[in-house]
Amino acid sequence: MTTHFKDAALRAIAIERDAIDALNERIDDQFITACEVIMACQGRVVVTGMGKSGHIGKKIAATLASTGTPSFYVHPGEASHGDLGMITGQDVVLAISNSGSTSEVLTILPLIKRMGAPLISMTGNPDSVLAREAAANLDVSVTQEACPLGLAPTSSTTATLVMGDALAVALLDERGFSAEDFAFSHPGGSLGRRLLLRVSDIMHSGDRIPKVAEDTTLNNALLEISLKGLGMTTVVDKTGKMVGIFTDGDLRRTLDHPLDIHATLIQDVMTRNGKTIFEDQLAAEALKLMDELKINALPVINRDGNLTGAINMHDLLKAGVI
């Protein structure tokens, strides 16, 4: 019995993989036309489809909307009862139907044409009414469904979903959509925090920056580290420019040698040209840098090279970046 479960699952995956592979031949002139029509759109992409195609359509609309192409889903049945008013002539309609002859979609087709909204179709039948009426038809036909009965939409919905992703990514790339643009569509949760939060938003600044002069003795530098609680102190010259850093790791290495902490100057044991991060960089970049260097804190500077703050791993943890 267990083997039967595994064999059936692997067979389904293989069939769906073949359906996806077949899409490589479908990224053709029709696909390019669809992209051009959407890029020229002054409104939004309105996605519609019935049943399983509708479920896939909702996901495609959500992906388009979050990657720089304003989009939403309209149920074709509801469109016949008032929701058609959500569509304007400035929009592009993306209609999904495996057969290309779904009655609820075809019912609203003349009205879409009448208002002048360009139509793009995704069908499994390029000779269908829907495909023929479209400015571009994206072929999502499959040789077989993963369902052994050949009835449940499986590989066909997978192919449609992947084609929708391909369309969204092609448009994203053409628009030059950035990670920061993506963040503005995802302000909530950890993703938004990672993509929107700047170092300046969470760094320690002003009197909270651990900072000592070059001629400070080691024992007084250790007091500054303890007082500010960031596991390090910056070292600045008479003009206030950072010239070095002294961390807990530097202290362990220093104590391997005999010295008088009351007479040793911090400039003699500090790390010169220590790593820093700019205040306008993403907090996620600070995390990446700390992780790569295996350190727990970073001095923060502005684009003029002036020390403006300090940040440590605990700050990133508190802010939800980790």
Side-chain angles (χ1 to χ4, degrees):
M1 183 65 72
T2 302
T3 302
H4 174 72
F5 289 149
K6 184 176 179 180
D7 289 345
L10 291 174
R11 185 170 58 252
I13 291 171
I15 292 171
E16 298 210 15
R17 184 186 301 115
D18 289 343
I20 294 172
D21 287 341
L23 295 179
N24 288 325
E25 303 299 323
R26 323 273 178 77
I27 306 302
D28 52 15
D29 290 343
Q30 291 283 301
F31 183 88
I32 294 171
T33 298
C35 291
E36 290 173 342
V37 168
I38 294 175
M39 287 299 295
C41 176
Q42 299 299 309
R44 296 150 300 176
V45 175
V46 182
V47 184
T48 190
M50 276 295 293
K52 301 298 187 296
S53 292
H55 295 311
I56 296 299
K58 290 176 185 177
K59 195 277 178 183
I60 292 174
T63 300
L64 287 168
S66 68
T67 54
T69 301
S71 179
F72 64 92
Y73 171 81
V74 169
H75 191 287
E78 298 295 336
S80 293
H81 296 276
D83 283 4
L84 198 65
M86 301 168 71
I87 308 173
T88 74
Q90 300 297 310
D91 300 326
V92 170
V93 175
L94 173 59
I96 304 171
S97 169
N98 188 42
S99 67
S101 57
T102 304
S103 59
E104 291 87 351
V105 175
L106 295 186
T107 297
I108 63 173
L109 191 56
L111 300 170
I112 292 170
K113 289 285 187 178
R114 184 173 178 177
M115 68 176 65
L119 174 69
I120 296 169
S121 62
M122 277 192 193
T123 74
N125 181 4
D127 296 320
S128 62
V129 174
L130 184 60
R132 291 198 304 268
E133 292 295 324
N137 177 62
L138 304 182
D139 184 357
V140 290
S141 59
V142 296
T143 55
Q144 67 179 125
E145 296 287 5
C147 166
L149 302 176
L151 298 174
T154 44
S155 52
S156 60
T157 49
T158 298
T160 304
L161 180 62
V162 173
M163 182 65 84
D165 285 343
L167 185 64
V169 170
L171 295 167
L172 175 155
D173 188 65
E174 180 65 22
R175 295 183 194 282
F177 196 76
S178 67
E180 188 167 353
D181 294 326
F182 188 82
F184 279 107
S185 299
H186 302 75
S190 60
L191 179 61
R193 286 191 291 273
R194 289 179 63 86
L195 292 176
L196 287 175
L197 205 62
R198 302 283 177 181
V199 170
S200 58
D201 296 325
I202 57 175
M203 70 183 187
H204 299 260
S205 58
D207 293 337
R208 299 169 64 209
I209 304 173
K211 181 170 58 176
V212 297
E214 292 176 286
D215 57 358
T216 301
T217 57
L218 179 55
N219 68 306
N220 284 326
L222 295 178
L223 289 175
E224 178 72 357
I225 293 174
S226 178
L227 178 66
K228 300 298 171 64
L230 296 184
M232 63 90 171
T233 184
T234 59
V235 183
V236 298
D237 62 17
K238 293 178 181 178
T239 68
K241 285 276 189 181
M242 194 184 99
V243 294
I245 186 173
F246 190 81
T247 68
D248 288 341
D250 291 320
L251 175 61
R252 287 190 292 273
R253 287 185 289 273
T254 298
L255 293 180
D256 284 339
H257 307 283
L259 52 79
D260 183 352
I261 65 171
H262 299 284
T264 302
L265 300 182
I266 194 67
Q267 64 183 352
D268 297 327
V269 291
M270 69 181 183
T271 297
R272 294 187 179 274
N273 303 314
K275 294 294 182 181
T276 59
I277 193 161
F278 291 115
E279 61 184 6
D280 58 358
Q281 286 185 255
L282 293 173
E285 293 180 271
L287 173 62
K288 183 174 183 291
L289 184 57
M290 288 185 204
D291 189 52
E292 288 175 349
L293 298 175
K294 301 294 187 290
I295 59 177
N296 293 312
L298 279 169
V300 182
I301 59 175
N302 60 21
R303 292 292 172 173
D304 294 325
N306 298 316
L307 181 68
T308 58
I311 189 171
N312 73 356
M313 198 68 78
H314 184 66
D315 300 321
L316 298 171
L317 182 62
K318 270 179 59 178
V321 178
I322 300 176

